Amino acid sequence: MEEVAPNVSTKKSPGLFQLLIILILSLILCVGIYFLLFRKADDIIRSGDPIITQLKEMKRYETSAYTIEQIIDAGKEGNTFQDILFGDKILLIAHGEVIAGFDMSTLTEESISVSDKTVTVTLPAPKILLTRLDNEKTRVYDRKQGLLTQGNKDLESEARRSAETAITKAACDGGILESASTNAKNQLTALIKAFGFTEVTIIIPRGSC
């Protein structure tokens, strides 16, 4: 009777050298994934470029606004007799808003310094960005013209220009630039810490109106 040999596979199990190659490839893959996912993010946190980009995108960074009302007296002044004959005066109640902040477009790479998770940002000096009158609330309270005058048709426009100057000065005297600096420091500190920094210093030169 013919004897049948048992079915034995001739496939050899992987040797020590092949296992070592697999282990090395797995290690390289793990290190690659780490650098791709973690080190790249860490490099972003330690770089000031994203912060500069965010700040410059603000362009005109408004941080303080004052609403002010002023009474403007404009026109020719003289004695009582002159006023009766040739006087031309206007009393304007002006209501307006003054906005202060920063021109962030002037920031450069030198405006920010990064060391590990500490960052220092130097801003431009705060300034008045806008003064505008509220036309709905600004009104002529009184207008007096002499008997022999036809009146200055541009007097109200001149009074409004004077009102803008007076409102701006009132906001400056009230500390609008100091308020703009304080608000900017608080807001930017919170913004930059969102990038992962733990210590933030904001340097702001003193502004002048």
Side-chain angles (χ1 to χ4, degrees):
M1 186 174 194
E2 185 178 358
E3 210 174 286
V4 180
N7 185 17
V8 178
S9 175
T10 59
K11 186 178 179 181
K12 297 182 180 179
S13 58
L16 181 61
F17 177 75
Q18 289 145 323
L19 289 175
L20 185 60
I21 292 296
I22 294 173
L23 181 61
I24 292 174
L25 291 176
S26 299
L27 182 60
I28 292 173
L29 180 62
C30 291
V31 171
I33 293 174
Y34 170 79
F35 272 89
L36 181 64
L37 298 181
F38 298 98
R39 288 300 298 274
K40 187 175 180 180
D42 188 59
D43 288 342
I44 291 175
I45 289 176
R46 295 172 188 276
S47 170
D49 292 341
I51 299 176
I52 285 292
T53 300
Q54 289 284 338
L55 295 183
K56 292 188 74 170
E57 285 180 354
M58 294 180 181
K59 295 180 181 178
R60 194 178 76 168
Y61 179 32
E62 301 176 359
T63 57
S64 185
Y66 279 26
T67 299
I68 298 173
E69 189 172 84
Q70 289 277 321
I71 297 177
I72 305 299
D73 189 357
K76 294 180 180 179
E77 292 185 355
N79 56 40
T80 303
F81 178 74
Q82 291 173 329
D83 287 343
I84 292 174
L85 296 179
F86 308 105
D88 188 8
K89 301 177 71 174
I90 190 172
L91 192 65
L92 184 76
I93 298 179
H95 188 95
E97 182 182 36
V98 181
I99 298 175
F102 304 83
D103 180 6
M104 305 298 272
S105 65
T106 62
L107 293 176
T108 64
E109 292 181 0
E110 288 71 29
S111 301
I112 185 168
S113 174
V114 177
S115 177
D116 194 19
K117 291 194 175 183
T118 299
V119 61
T120 300
V121 178
T122 302
L123 296 184
K127 63 180 183 179
I128 301 298
L129 298 177
L130 177 66
T131 299
R132 61 188 172 200
L133 294 182
D134 186 332
N135 292 324
E136 293 184 358
K137 295 182 179 180
T138 298
R139 65 191 187 279
V140 175
Y141 181 75
D142 191 21
R143 177 77 183 264
K144 292 181 180 179
Q145 295 180 347
L147 298 175
L148 302 179
T149 182
Q150 295 181 351
N152 179 2
K153 61 182 180 62
D154 297 322
L155 186 57
E156 183 177 344
S157 297
E158 294 173 2
R160 286 176 175 270
R161 287 193 291 270
S162 297
E164 289 184 357
T165 301
I167 287 173
T168 300
K169 184 179 185 304
C172 291
D173 293 343
I176 189 172
L177 295 185
E178 291 78 5
S179 174
S181 294
T182 299
N183 293 341
K185 287 182 179 180
N186 293 337
Q187 294 169 10
L188 292 181
T189 296
L191 172 65
I192 295 173
K193 283 187 175 181
F195 282 87
F197 294 98
T198 56
E199 294 186 26
V200 178
T201 301
I202 308 293
I203 300 174
I204 302 178
R206 185 178 179 84
S208 60
C209 292

